[in-house]
Amino acid sequence: METLFASCIGFLTSCGVFLMLRGRTFPVMMGLTMLSYAVNLFIFSSGRLTLRGAAVLGNSDNYADPLPQALVLTAIVIGFAMTAFLVILAIRARADLGNDHVDGKLPETGKGQR
Amino acid sequence: MWHLVVLPIILPMLTALLIILPPIHRRPSRRRWVSMISAGIQFIIAVVLLLQVQQHGLLHYAVGNWQAPFGIVLVADTLSVVMVCLTSFLALGAIIYGSAGEDEKGSFFHPLFQFQVMGINGAFLTGDLFNMFVFFEVLLIASYALLVHGGGKNKTKAALHYVVLNLTGSAVFLIALAVLYGTLGTLNMADMIGKVANIAPEDVMLVKAGGLMLMIVFALKAAILPLQFWLPAAYSSASPAVAALFAVMTKIGVYGLLRVYSTIFGEHAGPLAGIASVWLLPVGLITIVIGAIGVISSKDFRKIVAHLVLISVGTLVTLVSLQTPASASAVVFYTVHSTVVCAALFLIADLVANQRGKAGDRLVPGRRIAQPALLGTMFFIAVLSVTGIPPFSGFIGKLMVLQAVVEPMNKLLIWGVVLSCTLLVIIGLSRAGTTLFWRVSGTESDAEHVKPLQTVAVGWLLLASILLVVFAGPLTQLSQNAASELYDINSLTERVLGSPSFDMTPETLNLIPNITSNISTNTAIGGQ
């Protein structure tokens, strides 16, 4: 389970970083989303991977650490809000600047609008 | 009375909600008055809190009475309360300036402003790294919206870079927090001190990685090299009242560096003591140099001020890397000085640009300024103060910075860089001043004169620079107290973790060993 989990996080992170280094706003946004998924899974794993652990203190002998679950919930909510804002900002940048390049102008000469 | 600690967070939040309500939101004058009065009350609360902390020592507040390290705690020591005072002082000035008409250029200026103040105050007062992350996000999302306030191409472009960078920064922050939680089993700063000191040898590298990733995050917020490229564009395109408040945002990064690397990874941390100092010293010095080059090469005045912010951050980071009480006290004083003066300069840049017609704040010959005496005086005071020429606060600030350096090698290096860059700044600013005020042609521009509220706002910020000199004695004493409290980790852990208000009922006593033993066995399994 650990190997699967770790390679999953690694795959998401590398996809996220690759997409974030692209020049258009949409891939960058997707990259950030993937990175935040990877981060959320990673936070979750910081409480150790346990099977059938009770999250709330009860009579069980096997406890899952409840704190990372609370942390990851917070991180997910914040991530959603930020991504939503970024989508709106990217649409506005497309409207204001006339293209969807992250620098506000296309690198080719002649072709793109300024 | 102990609820005082939470008020600097609650009050801006309630004010923001109040301003959104229709009876107040419908009339611009009501929005302004509510916002200004609330900012005034916040400043008074911050000062009262400072007096309380001076009298009783460190205060801590367990939110919902959930005791540390299991619940959320707010910790008010001298350092954080001084920063809260600074924020509310600055916010009052910026809100007064914005109320002169700038707030009507876009919607929701006042609520967003209050939310941002809430985030900043929260980041200073929190005693827990995860909550610091949450408050960072609160202040960031407000700042994203404030940055595009008023609209325009430049703002959108700068905001896009700023948002993407900060979202990446947040992701790194979370990874660092997860690593630290996975190895130490806590994110409460006071609790982390003890855990880092008694760390298992096999966890050292992981904690070091987590700690250094935190440095990247704070370096991004503070805008130090090589993560500073977003700052000049973002700060110079933001509307002036917003830019004035942003002057304190870089200092949050510096505060984070100081807090984390002086207490959690301080000298008691064994193999992890001073992990950041090696990096921070060169990076801080190069940031100062880059800032100084920016000041002499910028083509408009707002860019110059943005680079002045970089220089102040570089100076502060250099001081943080020294890790002594003297340098920490210089950090406190210099932070207060540089924040208010840079904020004042952003406002002055806007006033000057308004009166120069088409030339704006670009450093080219333009039309005659309508009120040269008023604007010239403001400009002169702010510039003298920021460069560190007596009799203004910059002089004392720079003096404390230079005196905090004791080692001969460091002295040569830091004094050399700081002083030569100050010379470059003087050259750059005198060139800017002569162009803006003297290289003029034609008639006075018919732009409207400076409004009374704008004069009050700039005067309020410049007054701070003068008061910092008049009350230099008590204020340096205060910054020394802040520094010694920062390094007094024993009283911090004792106050926060072993609190008398916590009633140890048999049930809770039974629960605590369960949780801690469970976490420690988990950690042991994970470590192997």
Side-chain angles (χ1 to χ4, degrees), chain B residues 459-476:
Chain B
W460 171 251
L461 294 179
L462 289 179
L463 183 71
S465 176
I466 295 163
L467 288 182
L468 278 175
V469 178
V470 176
F471 297 104
L475 287 170
T476 44

Side-chain angles (χ1 to χ4, degrees), chain A residues 21-44:
Chain A
L21 298 175
R22 311 290 293 169
R24 307 277 179 156
T25 46
F26 186 70
V28 170
M29 231 149 55
M30 292 307 291
L32 276 171
T33 316
M34 289 213 170
L35 189 65
S36 71
Y37 290 159
V39 167
N40 290 340
L41 287 176
F42 186 65
I43 299 174
F44 190 71

Side-chain angles (χ1 to χ4, degrees), chain A residues 39 46 48 63 65 82 96 102, chain B residues 137 156 161 181-182 518 522:
Chain A
V39 167
S46 72
R48 303 293 177 270
Y63 298 122
D65 192 348
M82 294 295 173
D96 279 3
V102 283
Chain B
E137 297 304 310
T156 316
H161 290 182
Y181 182 78
N518 187 37
N522 273 346

Side-chain angles (χ1 to χ4, degrees), chain B residues 398 402 414-424:
Chain B
K398 280 249 154 80
L402 297 179
I414 297 175
W415 284 36
V417 170
V418 168
L419 292 177
S420 52
C421 286
T422 305
L423 183 64
L424 287 184

Side-chain angles (χ1 to χ4, degrees), chain B residues 275-293:
Chain B
I275 47 171
S277 300
V278 196
W279 299 95
L280 290 180
L281 180 64
V283 153
L285 287 176
I286 301 171
T287 309
I288 302 178
V289 175
I290 296 278
I293 293 172

